[in-house]
Amino acid sequence: MYVRATTRKNKDGSSVRYLQLAHNEWDAATGTSRPQVLHSFGREDRLDRPAIERLVASLTKLLDPAAALRATSGSELTFLASRPMGGAHALDGLWHRIGIDTVMKKLLKGRRLDPAAERVLFALVANRALAPSSKLAAIRWIEHDSHIPGLPATSEDACYRAMDWLLTIEDQFAEEVYWAVADLLNLEVDLLFFDTTSTYFETGEADIPAARDERGRRLDAPPEPDPLPDSQDGDGDGDGEENVKSFRAYGKSKDHRPDLPQVVIGMAVTRTGIPIRVWSWPGNTGDQSLIRQVREDLREWKLTRVVWVADRGFASEKNRRFLQRAGGHYILGEKIRSGSPAAQAALSRQGRYAHVADNMQVKQVQRADTTDRFVICHNPEQAKR
């Protein structure tokens, strides 16, 4: 198929060229190939060029991007490769809008680290958002499957160095990004929800134990592997563990995979679900002490009056008293059958329930020996079942 030009003579002797879309058909009778006109575009000097451009664009939709480029480009152009860039471009816009790049570049000053570390970390975030994969697969994705502005190529070592650097600036970085997001989204932090979960690794081996602080951060070089790992009870309360433990360790798995090592992840979010900060601890860390660590970490951010909301996994007398310090407030879940003296005393108090909904009745109990208020919730439908 090709574009055919024909010339006609006018009576005044002038010539006019006409363009046609044609293809050759074989004539078996004469044994020759004859042109067959499929469409006439009209006079060359009066072509409807926008209509032709629309036709070409419509036809190229049937081709893959490489073939379409070869079909529409001149002979002096050579197609090398193509990469999608829409997702990474949108994420990069948010990255700059929040100011994460500015914070990282400021914290990079005075450090012996590749200035491209900020771009490497953005590329890893983009990969996690668009095509979650391992670090090695992420590098292939960055170099072949996406366009990361300002980062033509990277390496596995560069990714690990950038992540190690991020750990060293975690506290200051988290605070500065929080204030940037708070100003941008006008966050309300009068009510913070906190909870933890665990995630496991597809490996049968825990990390080599190392000296760590109460937040699980490494203090020194790792010692030799413990020949008797059962000497550590693994319940996260410090009994029998001292401060030598693995970060990726065996513990109580919320994913029902106790056969695999894990880490514990905590998150504090606003009432609208916007994360304030994320934490991670060794996989054998218990929940009881974590909310106290979280409150201390956020205390330096000088937030206004905050009400902490957590489930029954964090309910203890020690945690309640800690959250009340400096005028703090809390709402903690309490299991009725926990057997705690406070819960039993609250349940023993008489009083009428207030009807809130068909499946919810509540009763408030104020104990005389403490400042705690208990709101007892009763579901008649569930009680009947």
Side-chain angles (χ1 to χ4, degrees):
M1 191 176 298
Y2 57 92
V3 176
R4 177 189 181 200
T6 60
T7 304
R8 295 181 183 178
K9 292 285 187 178
N10 294 327
K11 293 181 179 181
D12 58 1
S14 61
S15 300
V16 179
R17 283 168 53 91
Y18 291 83
L19 298 182
Q20 300 166 332
L21 180 65
H23 78 105
N24 292 333
E25 289 186 351
W26 180 258
D27 188 343
T30 61
T32 59
S33 178
R34 294 179 178 275
Q36 179 71 29
V37 176
L38 301 177
H39 178 74
S40 178
F41 294 105
R43 292 176 54 163
E44 184 179 22
D45 57 343
R46 297 179 182 177
L47 284 178
D48 187 355
R49 296 187 180 276
I52 295 177
E53 291 175 357
R54 291 193 297 270
L55 175 61
V56 172
S58 179
L59 291 174
T60 55
K61 291 179 181 179
L62 304 176
L63 307 175
D64 62 73
L69 182 60
R70 286 194 298 268
T72 56
S73 62
S75 58
E76 69 278 4
L77 297 178
T78 302
F79 177 80
L80 299 178
S82 67
R83 300 183 187 180
M85 62 174 295
H89 178 73
L91 290 173
D92 196 39
L94 291 173
W95 187 271
H96 289 282
R97 183 70 178 88
I98 295 173
I100 297 177
D101 60 320
T102 303
V103 174
M104 283 189 175
K105 290 175 182 178
K106 183 181 74 172
L107 297 177
L108 264 173
K109 291 181 179 178
R111 295 178 180 268
R112 297 180 60 184
L113 193 69
D114 187 349
E118 178 268 332
R119 290 286 82 192
V120 172
L121 290 172
F122 167 73
L124 293 176
V125 171
N127 172 258
R128 181 62 55 184
L130 301 173
S133 57
S134 65
K135 299 298 178 295
L136 188 59
I139 294 170
R140 293 195 294 267
W141 179 83
I142 293 168
E143 295 182 344
H144 303 291
D145 299 332
S146 181
H147 172 70
I148 305 298
L151 186 67
T154 186
S155 66
E156 191 173 8
D157 287 342
C159 292
Y160 283 115
R161 284 195 299 268
M163 289 188 293
D164 288 341
W165 168 69
L166 183 61
L167 285 176
T168 64
I169 63 167
E170 178 185 0
D171 293 340
Q172 186 179 358
F173 175 72
E175 181 178 358
E176 294 200 24
V177 170
Y178 160 73
W179 287 114
V181 175
D183 292 340
L184 180 63
L185 302 181
N186 193 24
L187 293 184
E188 296 181 0
V189 292
D190 57 331
L191 194 68
L192 291 184
F193 293 82
F194 175 73
D195 202 0
T196 63
T197 188
S198 62
T199 185
Y200 60 87
F201 296 84
E202 291 288 352
T203 177
E205 299 180 0
D207 292 337
I208 296 177
R212 302 179 185 276
D213 61 16
E214 70 278 4
R215 288 172 170 77
R217 295 173 179 172
R218 188 165 163 171
L219 298 175
D220 55 12
E224 292 298 319
D226 187 353
L228 299 173
D230 292 338
S231 63
Q232 299 179 1
D233 58 8
D235 59 5
D237 60 3
D239 181 20
E241 294 172 337
E242 300 178 344
N243 65 337
V244 178
K245 60 176 69 175
S246 304
F247 196 83
R248 184 174 56 182
Y250 295 99
K252 183 179 179 181
S253 174
K254 298 181 180 180
D255 294 316
H256 308 291
R257 292 303 305 266
D259 57 316
L260 296 175
Q262 64 179 20
V263 293
V264 174
I265 301 172
M267 179 182 292
V269 303
T270 67
R271 66 174 69 208
T272 56
I274 302 298
I276 294 297
R277 185 171 173 181
V278 179
W279 294 261
S280 57
W281 294 277
N284 56 359
T285 304
D287 282 346
Q288 279 296 320
S289 64
L290 298 186
I291 197 168
R292 300 195 294 271
Q293 297 179 24
V294 168
R295 185 182 186 279
E296 282 296 290
D297 286 346
L298 295 185
R299 183 177 61 86
E300 302 298 329
W301 293 12
K302 298 179 176 60
L303 303 179
T304 56
R305 177 180 180 272
V306 173
V307 178
W308 287 90
V309 183
D311 64 15
R312 64 194 186 194
F314 303 95
S316 69
E317 182 70 20
K318 187 174 182 180
N319 282 348
R320 291 197 293 267
R321 300 290 81 80
F322 186 89
L323 293 175
Q324 280 184 316
R325 289 167 49 182
H329 303 269
Y330 62 85
I331 300 173
L332 296 179
E334 180 78 37
K335 189 175 181 180
I336 292 180
R337 297 183 179 87
S338 64
S340 70
Q344 295 302 317
L347 288 171
S348 65
R349 294 285 296 274
Q350 300 297 316
R352 291 186 176 183
Y353 284 96
H355 184 82
V356 177
D358 291 341
N359 63 341
M360 180 62 65
Q361 297 177 7
V362 299
K363 177 175 64 175
Q364 180 176 275
V365 175
Q366 178 71 57
R367 291 178 54 195
D369 58 337
T370 179
T371 57
D372 293 332
R373 281 188 305 152
F374 285 83
V375 179
I376 302 174
C377 302
H378 176 64
N379 185 338
E381 297 178 1
Q382 187 174 1
K384 184 178 180 179
R385 286 198 301 270

